[in-house]
Amino acid sequence: MSRIRAGQPDVPRVVSCDKNERVFNAPLPLLFQWHRRLDNRAVSDNRAVSETALRHYLDHALDVIGFKDGGGEPLRYTFHDIRRLFITDAIMHGMPPHIAQLVAGHRDINTTMGYNSVYPEEVIKGYREFIARRRALRPSQEYRSPTNEE
């Protein structure tokens, strides 16, 4: 991965290949990318890490950790599982569900809530904790009672 330099975006934009559509996507700031130097010249670029390589890395990490399922077989996760875990964790830690919907790119909030594997009471508690943390960071004069005109 290349180093971040002043004046450059935080995450370099790279072109990735959509294996299902068999097209190249427009450059995006992908999380998983690697730095490639071309030949012995000073020319270099960043490339997206392939889905196959990411699956290999994840499977290797799970093998090293030694997690097993109920039948004693090594655990295997899909990228979709990780997406569900992210949405669940975000909502449990106070991200409002409608924001999680936007992050996940869902058109319907019910899809997002289907990803979320927590009980509604936990969502309400998490949201209240999020609001309390936000209010603690803001000046108290912003939380005055509204006037009749307002």
Side-chain angles (χ1 to χ4, degrees), residues 3-4 13 16-17 22 30-31 65 68 74 82 92 95 115 120 123 145:
R3 291 198 170 131
I4 297 171
R13 295 176 185 270
S16 63
C17 181
R22 297 182 183 202
L30 298 177
L31 181 60
I65 293 169
K68 307 280 184 199
I82 294 170
M92 282 195 62
M95 180 181 280
Y115 272 46
V123 173
S145 299

Side-chain angles (χ1 to χ4, degrees), residues 76-137:
R76 294 293 175 243
Y77 286 101
T78 66
F79 296 124
H80 201 80
D81 293 330
I82 294 170
R83 182 177 165 93
R84 287 179 176 271
L85 289 168
F86 171 78
I87 295 297
T88 298
D89 191 57
I91 291 175
M92 282 195 62
H93 286 90
M95 180 181 280
H98 68 283
I99 301 298
Q101 174 190 355
L102 294 173
V103 169
H106 295 149
R107 291 183 185 170
D108 185 357
I109 189 72
N110 293 316
T111 304
T112 306
M113 294 313 290
Y115 272 46
N116 178 25
S117 60
V118 296
Y119 295 106
E121 300 86 39
E122 291 174 311
V123 173
I124 293 167
K125 179 181 176 231
Y127 183 71
R128 287 181 177 157
E129 289 172 355
F130 169 76
I131 294 296
R133 285 192 306 271
R134 237 176 105 182
R135 286 187 174 160
L137 296 173

Side-chain angles (χ1 to χ4, degrees), residues 44 47 66 81 104-105 150:
S44 63
R47 295 289 172 114
D81 293 330
E150 294 174 321

Side-chain angles (χ1 to χ4, degrees), residues 3-106:
R3 291 198 170 131
I4 297 171
R5 294 182 184 9
Q8 290 184 343
D10 292 352
V11 178
R13 295 176 185 270
V14 296
V15 173
S16 63
C17 181
D18 185 329
K19 69 176 189 159
N20 296 320
E21 298 293 327
R22 297 182 183 202
V23 296
F24 286 96
N25 297 319
L28 295 168
L30 298 177
L31 181 60
F32 297 105
Q33 51 182 276
W34 59 280
H35 185 71
R36 174 177 92 140
R37 186 172 182 154
L38 304 174
D39 300 326
N40 290 327
R41 299 173 280 158
V43 178
S44 63
D45 67 349
N46 286 355
R47 295 289 172 114
V49 175
S50 71
E51 183 178 329
T52 304
L54 286 173
R55 285 185 190 283
H56 175 75
Y57 299 153
L58 179 59
D59 288 345
H60 177 73
L62 290 169
D63 288 340
V64 169
I65 293 169
F67 285 155
K68 307 280 184 199
D69 65 13
E73 294 295 317
L75 278 182
R76 294 293 175 243
Y77 286 101
T78 66
F79 296 124
H80 201 80
D81 293 330
I82 294 170
R83 182 177 165 93
R84 287 179 176 271
L85 289 168
F86 171 78
I87 295 297
T88 298
D89 191 57
I91 291 175
M92 282 195 62
H93 286 90
M95 180 181 280
H98 68 283
I99 301 298
Q101 174 190 355
L102 294 173
V103 169
H106 295 149

